[in-house]
Amino acid sequence: MSRGRHRRRRRGRALRAALTGTALGLTAAATLISTSQAAGGDDPGALRSLTSSSSEMAKLQLHENLVRETTLDKLTSNMGGNVGVHGVLQSANHTMRNKSACYDTERAALPVEPTATRAYCWDTGDATTQKWLPQSVTTSADADDDGRWGEDNVILSGWTHNDHKPGEPAADKGLARVAFIDANDPDNLKYRWVLLVAPLSGGDTFGAVRSHIGGMVWYQDKLIVTAKNGAGHNNALFVFDMHRILQADVNSSAVGKVSGGYSAHGYQYVLPAIGSYNLTGGKCDADNDNAVPCFGSISLDRTSTPNSLVAGEWFSSGGTEPARLWRYYFSTQLSRTGLLGSNSSDIVNADEAYETKAVGLQGVISHKPSGASKADWYVDYAPGTRGKHGTLWRQDEDGADAARCTSDQSYACWGQHTESMSYSQRTGELWTLTEWAANKDNEWKPTAIPERALYAVPLSAVNNSLG
């Protein structure tokens, strides 16, 4: 994707889902605007705590909006009931390539140090991957502490339609979909696409969710994804119920109810949103350092008590603005599985926040080592130029570390243009994915082999490489 180093540019599209009690209203929204903090190879130093500042914490406050159960039940009934995660996996129609079968350009996008212990590339027969961009990852290790969803090991990868690819229909741009990856056999990963939608008209139909889907967390039975916002729209997150995966019965380019049934733009399965979280301070503004932040990426921290969702904002690599990292605790109520902790007014307050000078953040992970009093924060920097490796920083309030791996002892050791990250508590692996599909001038090139890979690195190996 093209990103200017010294000027702000729009990075994607977003969707505002205005919940009116019976449905999510769909409108287009603007995207996160890029800014930057420091040179990519510079040590960002220690995190600066914002937790004691009531004004800063207020900017992170959310309001929860849930769709009525009657609306969701009506749509579920009309479409024949829940298919289930296992049902989607059983119908997987694309096979991922193992590392040995990846192209040289795809393997070149993997980290230099520490090296990936597992890596996969997308099905070359899946032509749609040329038109879409991989942005986020989460796994069944997020969903349940035993690492499985039922009997299945699952990886989810969120993709957005490529707004930068010339000639694409306007109706396609900004669509969001998720690859449900059957990871039961680590030598034979298979996947199926599921389109993200939102119920409309009291559950009679649905519309497409348009989101950059820059971050994604699967916790208990809910999937939470980022909703880039701005231009008058203040939704930050969308929420989906993994017990409400529905099947379309008409194969057409339309989205929603059509003559003869329901269509999902050619996809067989849809996942309807059951709610959203909007920023109470209004729309985010990436052009104003003192404004409400735009969500860039999210992940799950199972080492906090209670478990928490952590978030970060994204800026590009050419300015001086610091970025914020923050956390929300999940609800511990049995009736609110997978939802954030809220008060009686449906308000969700951030529980911890920091400022970092690390630049171009694409992913964020928080993890507290056994016996430690505070968590380490891991953030990945992605340079704005094709073919260059990024940096994975580990930060706390005492300082920052990253691996040094090149002849000039720079920190460019991580993958090439990596996106969001997800940590598996069960296996100890840190998952992420690479995005690039452009030529040397950062322009779309239809004949280019996408430098895209999904890979895992043990967090212990990351820590051992830091210096």
mmCIF file of all heavy atoms in Angstrom, residues 49-93:
data_model
loop_
_atom_site.group_PDB
_atom_site.id
_atom_site.type_symbol
_atom_site.label_atom_id
_atom_site.label_comp_id
_atom_site.label_asym_id
_atom_site.label_seq_id
_atom_site.Cartn_x
_atom_site.Cartn_y
_atom_site.Cartn_z
ATOM 1 N N SER A 49 3.377 6.560 31.032
ATOM 2 C CA SER A 49 2.037 6.223 31.508
ATOM 3 C C SER A 49 1.090 7.412 31.367
ATOM 4 O O SER A 49 1.443 8.555 31.685
ATOM 5 C CB SER A 49 2.100 5.783 32.971
ATOM 6 O OG SER A 49 0.787 5.536 33.456
ATOM 7 N N LEU A 50 -0.128 7.112 30.889
ATOM 8 C CA LEU A 50 -1.197 8.115 30.807
ATOM 9 C C LEU A 50 -2.326 7.798 31.777
ATOM 10 O O LEU A 50 -3.306 8.533 31.840
ATOM 11 C CB LEU A 50 -1.769 8.157 29.388
ATOM 12 C CG LEU A 50 -0.798 8.463 28.245
ATOM 13 C CD1 LEU A 50 -1.530 8.342 26.911
ATOM 14 C CD2 LEU A 50 -0.189 9.842 28.389
ATOM 15 N N THR A 51 -2.185 6.715 32.527
ATOM 16 C CA THR A 51 -3.288 6.200 33.332
ATOM 17 C C THR A 51 -3.754 7.186 34.388
ATOM 18 O O THR A 51 -4.945 7.245 34.722
ATOM 19 C CB THR A 51 -2.869 4.872 34.000
ATOM 20 O OG1 THR A 51 -2.424 3.973 32.972
ATOM 21 C CG2 THR A 51 -4.018 4.249 34.745
ATOM 22 N N SER A 52 -2.849 7.999 34.932
ATOM 23 C CA SER A 52 -3.232 8.934 36.002
ATOM 24 C C SER A 52 -3.914 10.193 35.474
ATOM 25 O O SER A 52 -4.424 10.993 36.255
ATOM 26 C CB SER A 52 -1.996 9.326 36.812
ATOM 27 O OG SER A 52 -1.048 9.983 35.983
ATOM 28 N N SER A 53 -3.931 10.364 34.152
ATOM 29 C CA SER A 53 -4.535 11.554 33.559
ATOM 30 C C SER A 53 -5.988 11.284 33.210
ATOM 31 O O SER A 53 -6.290 10.548 32.275
ATOM 32 C CB SER A 53 -3.766 11.970 32.306
ATOM 33 O OG SER A 53 -4.456 12.979 31.608
ATOM 34 N N SER A 54 -6.901 11.894 33.940
ATOM 35 C CA SER A 54 -8.327 11.661 33.689
ATOM 36 C C SER A 54 -8.742 12.172 32.315
ATOM 37 O O SER A 54 -9.600 11.578 31.651
ATOM 38 C CB SER A 54 -9.171 12.345 34.772
ATOM 39 O OG SER A 54 -8.903 13.737 34.816
ATOM 40 N N SER A 55 -8.132 13.270 31.854
ATOM 41 C CA SER A 55 -8.497 13.811 30.542
ATOM 42 C C SER A 55 -8.051 12.891 29.419
ATOM 43 O O SER A 55 -8.759 12.708 28.423
ATOM 44 C CB SER A 55 -7.877 15.205 30.350
ATOM 45 O OG SER A 55 -6.461 15.144 30.425
ATOM 46 N N GLU A 56 -6.866 12.275 29.571
ATOM 47 C CA GLU A 56 -6.388 11.349 28.550
ATOM 48 C C GLU A 56 -7.205 10.068 28.546
ATOM 49 O O GLU A 56 -7.534 9.529 27.484
ATOM 50 C CB GLU A 56 -4.908 11.033 28.783
ATOM 51 C CG GLU A 56 -3.966 12.160 28.443
ATOM 52 C CD GLU A 56 -4.011 12.522 26.969
ATOM 53 O OE1 GLU A 56 -4.104 11.607 26.131
ATOM 54 O OE2 GLU A 56 -3.984 13.724 26.653
ATOM 55 N N MET A 57 -7.532 9.563 29.730
ATOM 56 C CA MET A 57 -8.304 8.330 29.812
ATOM 57 C C MET A 57 -9.718 8.522 29.271
ATOM 58 O O MET A 57 -10.312 7.607 28.700
ATOM 59 C CB MET A 57 -8.351 7.828 31.246
ATOM 60 C CG MET A 57 -6.982 7.480 31.830
ATOM 61 S SD MET A 57 -6.127 6.170 30.919
ATOM 62 C CE MET A 57 -6.997 4.728 31.537
ATOM 63 N N ALA A 58 -10.264 9.724 29.439
ATOM 64 C CA ALA A 58 -11.614 10.004 28.951
ATOM 65 C C ALA A 58 -11.698 9.893 27.435
ATOM 66 O O ALA A 58 -12.753 9.550 26.877
ATOM 67 C CB ALA A 58 -12.052 11.394 29.394
ATOM 68 N N LYS A 59 -10.588 10.162 26.743
ATOM 69 C CA LYS A 59 -10.585 10.077 25.285
ATOM 70 C C LYS A 59 -10.705 8.634 24.787
ATOM 71 O O LYS A 59 -11.002 8.397 23.622
ATOM 72 C CB LYS A 59 -9.300 10.693 24.735
ATOM 73 C CG LYS A 59 -9.152 12.176 25.025
ATOM 74 C CD LYS A 59 -7.771 12.659 24.617
ATOM 75 C CE LYS A 59 -7.564 14.116 25.025
ATOM 76 N NZ LYS A 59 -6.184 14.574 24.731
ATOM 77 N N LEU A 60 -10.466 7.688 25.681
ATOM 78 C CA LEU A 60 -10.485 6.273 25.311
ATOM 79 C C LEU A 60 -11.798 5.592 25.682
ATOM 80 O O LEU A 60 -11.975 4.402 25.439
ATOM 81 C CB LEU A 60 -9.332 5.543 26.005
ATOM 82 C CG LEU A 60 -7.949 6.181 25.850
ATOM 83 C CD1 LEU A 60 -6.922 5.430 26.688
ATOM 84 C CD2 LEU A 60 -7.529 6.216 24.388
ATOM 85 N N GLN A 61 -12.726 6.338 26.252
ATOM 86 C CA GLN A 61 -13.985 5.767 26.738
ATOM 87 C C GLN A 61 -14.889 5.333 25.586
ATOM 88 O O GLN A 61 -15.004 6.013 24.568
ATOM 89 C CB GLN A 61 -14.716 6.802 27.591
ATOM 90 C CG GLN A 61 -15.931 6.259 28.318
ATOM 91 C CD GLN A 61 -16.618 7.339 29.141
ATOM 92 O OE1 GLN A 61 -17.352 8.164 28.613
ATOM 93 N NE2 GLN A 61 -16.352 7.336 30.448
ATOM 94 N N LEU A 62 -15.542 4.173 25.784
ATOM 95 C CA LEU A 62 -16.436 3.605 24.773
ATOM 96 C C LEU A 62 -17.860 3.506 25.300
ATOM 97 O O LEU A 62 -18.080 3.430 26.503
ATOM 98 C CB LEU A 62 -15.973 2.205 24.377
ATOM 99 C CG LEU A 62 -14.567 2.047 23.791
ATOM 100 C CD1 LEU A 62 -14.240 0.566 23.628
ATOM 101 C CD2 LEU A 62 -14.452 2.769 22.465
ATOM 102 N N HIS A 63 -18.803 3.474 24.384
ATOM 103 C CA HIS A 63 -20.198 3.158 24.714
ATOM 104 C C HIS A 63 -20.591 1.911 23.953
ATOM 105 O O HIS A 63 -20.342 1.794 22.750
ATOM 106 C CB HIS A 63 -21.134 4.308 24.339
ATOM 107 C CG HIS A 63 -22.559 4.063 24.738
ATOM 108 N ND1 HIS A 63 -23.469 3.420 23.919
ATOM 109 C CD2 HIS A 63 -23.231 4.361 25.888
ATOM 110 C CE1 HIS A 63 -24.632 3.338 24.539
ATOM 111 N NE2 HIS A 63 -24.522 3.893 25.722
ATOM 112 N N GLU A 64 -21.196 0.965 24.659
ATOM 113 C CA GLU A 64 -21.590 -0.302 24.047
ATOM 114 C C GLU A 64 -22.994 -0.209 23.462
ATOM 115 O O GLU A 64 -23.917 0.300 24.095
ATOM 116 C CB GLU A 64 -21.545 -1.413 25.095
ATOM 117 C CG GLU A 64 -21.902 -2.780 24.556
ATOM 118 C CD GLU A 64 -21.819 -3.843 25.635
ATOM 119 O OE1 GLU A 64 -20.725 -4.406 25.835
ATOM 120 O OE2 GLU A 64 -22.857 -4.095 26.297
ATOM 121 N N ASN A 65 -23.154 -0.707 22.243
ATOM 122 C CA ASN A 65 -24.446 -0.721 21.553
ATOM 123 C C ASN A 65 -24.705 -2.130 21.046
ATOM 124 O O ASN A 65 -23.940 -2.650 20.238
ATOM 125 C CB ASN A 65 -24.412 0.223 20.345
ATOM 126 C CG ASN A 65 -23.757 1.552 20.663
ATOM 127 O OD1 ASN A 65 -24.373 2.448 21.188
ATOM 128 N ND2 ASN A 65 -22.465 1.674 20.332
ATOM 129 N N LEU A 66 -25.759 -2.757 21.521
ATOM 130 C CA LEU A 66 -26.062 -4.127 21.113
ATOM 131 C C LEU A 66 -27.352 -4.178 20.315
ATOM 132 O O LEU A 66 -28.326 -3.486 20.629
ATOM 133 C CB LEU A 66 -26.178 -5.043 22.336
ATOM 134 C CG LEU A 66 -24.914 -5.195 23.195
ATOM 135 C CD1 LEU A 66 -25.187 -6.127 24.370
ATOM 136 C CD2 LEU A 66 -23.740 -5.689 22.357
ATOM 137 N N VAL A 67 -27.370 -4.994 19.286
ATOM 138 C CA VAL A 67 -28.568 -5.218 18.482
ATOM 139 C C VAL A 67 -29.553 -6.052 19.296
ATOM 140 O O VAL A 67 -29.151 -6.932 20.064
ATOM 141 C CB VAL A 67 -28.210 -5.954 17.176
ATOM 142 C CG1 VAL A 67 -29.452 -6.217 16.337
ATOM 143 C CG2 VAL A 67 -27.187 -5.166 16.387
ATOM 144 N N ARG A 68 -30.823 -5.808 19.139
ATOM 145 C CA ARG A 68 -31.840 -6.574 19.857
ATOM 146 C C ARG A 68 -31.794 -8.045 19.480
ATOM 147 O O ARG A 68 -31.599 -8.405 18.318
ATOM 148 C CB ARG A 68 -33.231 -6.016 19.552
ATOM 149 C CG ARG A 68 -33.505 -4.665 20.199
ATOM 150 C CD ARG A 68 -34.894 -4.181 19.852
ATOM 151 N NE ARG A 68 -35.202 -2.931 20.525
ATOM 152 C CZ ARG A 68 -36.299 -2.212 20.311
ATOM 153 N NH1 ARG A 68 -37.198 -2.660 19.435
ATOM 154 N NH2 ARG A 68 -36.504 -1.090 20.967
ATOM 155 N N GLU A 69 -31.976 -8.886 20.471
ATOM 156 C CA GLU A 69 -31.968 -10.334 20.239
ATOM 157 C C GLU A 69 -33.039 -10.743 19.231
ATOM 158 O O GLU A 69 -32.831 -11.661 18.427
ATOM 159 C CB GLU A 69 -32.184 -11.074 21.559
ATOM 160 C CG GLU A 69 -30.990 -11.061 22.491
ATOM 161 C CD GLU A 69 -29.853 -11.938 22.001
ATOM 162 O OE1 GLU A 69 -30.134 -12.974 21.351
ATOM 163 O OE2 GLU A 69 -28.688 -11.580 22.245
ATOM 164 N N THR A 70 -34.180 -10.065 19.260
ATOM 165 C CA THR A 70 -35.254 -10.418 18.321
ATOM 166 C C THR A 70 -34.822 -10.189 16.877
ATOM 167 O O THR A 70 -35.197 -10.963 15.978
ATOM 168 C CB THR A 70 -36.520 -9.594 18.620
ATOM 169 O OG1 THR A 70 -36.181 -8.193 18.645
ATOM 170 C CG2 THR A 70 -37.127 -9.994 19.950
ATOM 171 N N THR A 71 -34.034 -9.137 16.652
ATOM 172 C CA THR A 71 -33.524 -8.861 15.313
ATOM 173 C C THR A 71 -32.578 -9.962 14.866
ATOM 174 O O THR A 71 -32.677 -10.487 13.746
ATOM 175 C CB THR A 71 -32.796 -7.502 15.288
ATOM 176 O OG1 THR A 71 -33.738 -6.458 15.529
ATOM 177 C CG2 THR A 71 -32.107 -7.260 13.951
ATOM 178 N N LEU A 72 -31.657 -10.331 15.750
ATOM 179 C CA LEU A 72 -30.681 -11.365 15.425
ATOM 180 C C LEU A 72 -31.355 -12.722 15.241
ATOM 181 O O LEU A 72 -31.019 -13.486 14.320
ATOM 182 C CB LEU A 72 -29.629 -11.446 16.524
ATOM 183 C CG LEU A 72 -28.794 -10.168 16.732
ATOM 184 C CD1 LEU A 72 -27.974 -10.281 18.008
ATOM 185 C CD2 LEU A 72 -27.901 -9.914 15.525
ATOM 186 N N ASP A 73 -32.312 -13.018 16.110
ATOM 187 C CA ASP A 73 -33.012 -14.300 16.013
ATOM 188 C C ASP A 73 -33.802 -14.411 14.709
ATOM 189 O O ASP A 73 -33.876 -15.488 14.101
ATOM 190 C CB ASP A 73 -33.958 -14.485 17.202
ATOM 191 C CG ASP A 73 -33.223 -14.713 18.509
ATOM 192 O OD1 ASP A 73 -32.023 -15.041 18.464
ATOM 193 O OD2 ASP A 73 -33.851 -14.548 19.576
ATOM 194 N N LYS A 74 -34.407 -13.297 14.283
ATOM 195 C CA LYS A 74 -35.201 -13.321 13.048
ATOM 196 C C LYS A 74 -34.304 -13.601 11.848
ATOM 197 O O LYS A 74 -34.644 -14.439 10.995
ATOM 198 C CB LYS A 74 -35.923 -11.987 12.871
ATOM 199 C CG LYS A 74 -36.849 -11.958 11.657
ATOM 200 C CD LYS A 74 -37.626 -10.653 11.595
ATOM 201 C CE LYS A 74 -38.610 -10.663 10.434
ATOM 202 N NZ LYS A 74 -39.386 -9.391 10.373
ATOM 203 N N LEU A 75 -33.160 -12.909 11.776
ATOM 204 C CA LEU A 75 -32.253 -13.140 10.656
ATOM 205 C C LEU A 75 -31.708 -14.568 10.682
ATOM 206 O O LEU A 75 -31.627 -15.237 9.642
ATOM 207 C CB LEU A 75 -31.103 -12.133 10.697
ATOM 208 C CG LEU A 75 -30.101 -12.213 9.539
ATOM 209 C CD1 LEU A 75 -30.786 -11.952 8.200
ATOM 210 C CD2 LEU A 75 -28.951 -11.226 9.747
ATOM 211 N N THR A 76 -31.353 -15.040 11.876
ATOM 212 C CA THR A 76 -30.840 -16.403 12.010
ATOM 213 C C THR A 76 -31.871 -17.426 11.547
ATOM 214 O O THR A 76 -31.549 -18.375 10.819
ATOM 215 C CB THR A 76 -30.443 -16.679 13.469
ATOM 216 O OG1 THR A 76 -29.432 -15.749 13.868
ATOM 217 C CG2 THR A 76 -29.919 -18.090 13.650
ATOM 218 N N SER A 77 -33.116 -17.231 11.955
ATOM 219 C CA SER A 77 -34.182 -18.153 11.565
ATOM 220 C C SER A 77 -34.442 -18.095 10.065
ATOM 221 O O SER A 77 -34.598 -19.132 9.405
ATOM 222 C CB SER A 77 -35.463 -17.822 12.332
ATOM 223 O OG SER A 77 -36.530 -18.635 11.922
ATOM 224 N N ASN A 78 -34.484 -16.873 9.509
ATOM 225 C CA ASN A 78 -34.752 -16.718 8.079
ATOM 226 C C ASN A 78 -33.705 -17.400 7.215
ATOM 227 O O ASN A 78 -33.996 -17.863 6.108
ATOM 228 C CB ASN A 78 -34.810 -15.233 7.719
ATOM 229 C CG ASN A 78 -36.076 -14.551 8.216
ATOM 230 O OD1 ASN A 78 -37.015 -15.215 8.653
ATOM 231 N ND2 ASN A 78 -36.088 -13.224 8.185
ATOM 232 N N MET A 79 -32.452 -17.474 7.736
ATOM 233 C CA MET A 79 -31.350 -18.021 6.945
ATOM 234 C C MET A 79 -31.014 -19.463 7.332
ATOM 235 O O MET A 79 -29.969 -19.987 6.942
ATOM 236 C CB MET A 79 -30.129 -17.119 7.062
ATOM 237 C CG MET A 79 -30.363 -15.718 6.486
ATOM 238 S SD MET A 79 -28.874 -14.696 6.452
ATOM 239 C CE MET A 79 -27.878 -15.562 5.225
ATOM 240 N N GLY A 80 -31.888 -20.095 8.100
ATOM 241 C CA GLY A 80 -31.730 -21.523 8.342
ATOM 242 C C GLY A 80 -30.905 -21.913 9.542
ATOM 243 O O GLY A 80 -30.587 -23.094 9.721
ATOM 244 N N GLY A 81 -30.551 -20.952 10.388
ATOM 245 C CA GLY A 81 -29.853 -21.280 11.627
ATOM 246 C C GLY A 81 -28.336 -21.247 11.507
ATOM 247 O O GLY A 81 -27.767 -21.115 10.424
ATOM 248 N N ASN A 82 -27.685 -21.371 12.654
ATOM 249 C CA ASN A 82 -26.233 -21.280 12.751
ATOM 250 C C ASN A 82 -25.539 -22.456 12.068
ATOM 251 O O ASN A 82 -25.856 -23.618 12.325
ATOM 252 C CB ASN A 82 -25.830 -21.218 14.229
ATOM 253 C CG ASN A 82 -24.335 -21.266 14.436
ATOM 254 O OD1 ASN A 82 -23.582 -20.633 13.701
ATOM 255 N ND2 ASN A 82 -23.909 -22.006 15.443
ATOM 256 N N VAL A 83 -24.587 -22.144 11.214
ATOM 257 C CA VAL A 83 -23.794 -23.168 10.542
ATOM 258 C C VAL A 83 -22.689 -23.674 11.463
ATOM 259 O O VAL A 83 -22.348 -24.858 11.449
ATOM 260 C CB VAL A 83 -23.184 -22.609 9.239
ATOM 261 C CG1 VAL A 83 -22.239 -23.621 8.601
ATOM 262 C CG2 VAL A 83 -24.267 -22.195 8.271
ATOM 263 N N GLY A 84 -22.136 -22.772 12.263
ATOM 264 C CA GLY A 84 -21.072 -23.130 13.191
ATOM 265 C C GLY A 84 -19.696 -23.047 12.573
ATOM 266 O O GLY A 84 -19.515 -23.200 11.360
ATOM 267 N N VAL A 85 -18.700 -22.794 13.428
ATOM 268 C CA VAL A 85 -17.318 -22.718 12.963
ATOM 269 C C VAL A 85 -16.902 -24.032 12.315
ATOM 270 O O VAL A 85 -16.275 -24.047 11.254
ATOM 271 C CB VAL A 85 -16.375 -22.367 14.133
ATOM 272 C CG1 VAL A 85 -14.908 -22.442 13.696
ATOM 273 C CG2 VAL A 85 -16.699 -20.982 14.693
ATOM 274 N N HIS A 86 -17.265 -25.143 12.941
ATOM 275 C CA HIS A 86 -16.876 -26.454 12.409
ATOM 276 C C HIS A 86 -17.472 -26.671 11.024
ATOM 277 O O HIS A 86 -16.815 -27.236 10.137
ATOM 278 C CB HIS A 86 -17.317 -27.564 13.353
ATOM 279 C CG HIS A 86 -16.868 -28.928 12.944
ATOM 280 N ND1 HIS A 86 -15.550 -29.352 13.041
ATOM 281 C CD2 HIS A 86 -17.554 -29.984 12.402
ATOM 282 C CE1 HIS A 86 -15.454 -30.589 12.595
ATOM 283 N NE2 HIS A 86 -16.648 -30.997 12.209
ATOM 284 N N GLY A 87 -18.711 -26.211 10.830
ATOM 285 C CA GLY A 87 -19.345 -26.355 9.526
ATOM 286 C C GLY A 87 -18.600 -25.605 8.434
ATOM 287 O O GLY A 87 -18.468 -26.095 7.310
ATOM 288 N N VAL A 88 -18.125 -24.404 8.775
ATOM 289 C CA VAL A 88 -17.354 -23.629 7.800
ATOM 290 C C VAL A 88 -16.047 -24.351 7.484
ATOM 291 O O VAL A 88 -15.642 -24.468 6.320
ATOM 292 C CB VAL A 88 -17.068 -22.206 8.334
ATOM 293 C CG1 VAL A 88 -16.147 -21.450 7.380
ATOM 294 C CG2 VAL A 88 -18.367 -21.436 8.536
ATOM 295 N N LEU A 89 -15.368 -24.846 8.520
ATOM 296 C CA LEU A 89 -14.097 -25.542 8.307
ATOM 297 C C LEU A 89 -14.276 -26.793 7.456
ATOM 298 O O LEU A 89 -13.430 -27.123 6.618
ATOM 299 C CB LEU A 89 -13.467 -25.923 9.645
ATOM 300 C CG LEU A 89 -13.115 -24.775 10.598
ATOM 301 C CD1 LEU A 89 -12.476 -25.326 11.864
ATOM 302 C CD2 LEU A 89 -12.195 -23.757 9.927
ATOM 303 N N GLN A 90 -15.385 -27.497 7.671
ATOM 304 C CA GLN A 90 -15.641 -28.718 6.912
ATOM 305 C C GLN A 90 -15.812 -28.441 5.419
ATOM 306 O O GLN A 90 -15.607 -29.323 4.587
ATOM 307 C CB GLN A 90 -16.887 -29.422 7.447
ATOM 308 C CG GLN A 90 -16.687 -30.077 8.802
ATOM 309 C CD GLN A 90 -15.742 -31.269 8.744
ATOM 310 O OE1 GLN A 90 -14.573 -31.168 9.086
ATOM 311 N NE2 GLN A 90 -16.255 -32.404 8.296
ATOM 312 N N SER A 91 -16.190 -27.204 5.096
ATOM 313 C CA SER A 91 -16.397 -26.850 3.691
ATOM 314 C C SER A 91 -15.211 -26.057 3.123
ATOM 315 O O SER A 91 -15.328 -25.449 2.050
ATOM 316 C CB SER A 91 -17.682 -26.025 3.538
ATOM 317 O OG SER A 91 -17.526 -24.746 4.138
ATOM 318 N N ALA A 92 -14.081 -26.036 3.833
ATOM 319 C CA ALA A 92 -12.899 -25.285 3.372
ATOM 320 C C ALA A 92 -12.547 -25.675 1.945
ATOM 321 O O ALA A 92 -12.443 -26.859 1.620
ATOM 322 C CB ALA A 92 -11.724 -25.550 4.305
ATOM 323 N N ASN A 93 -12.367 -24.658 1.093
ATOM 324 C CA ASN A 93 -12.152 -24.921 -0.336
ATOM 325 C C ASN A 93 -10.850 -24.336 -0.870
ATOM 326 O O ASN A 93 -10.643 -24.281 -2.091
ATOM 327 C CB ASN A 93 -13.343 -24.400 -1.149
ATOM 328 C CG ASN A 93 -13.593 -22.914 -0.944
ATOM 329 O OD1 ASN A 93 -13.046 -22.307 -0.025
ATOM 330 N ND2 ASN A 93 -14.426 -22.331 -1.786
#
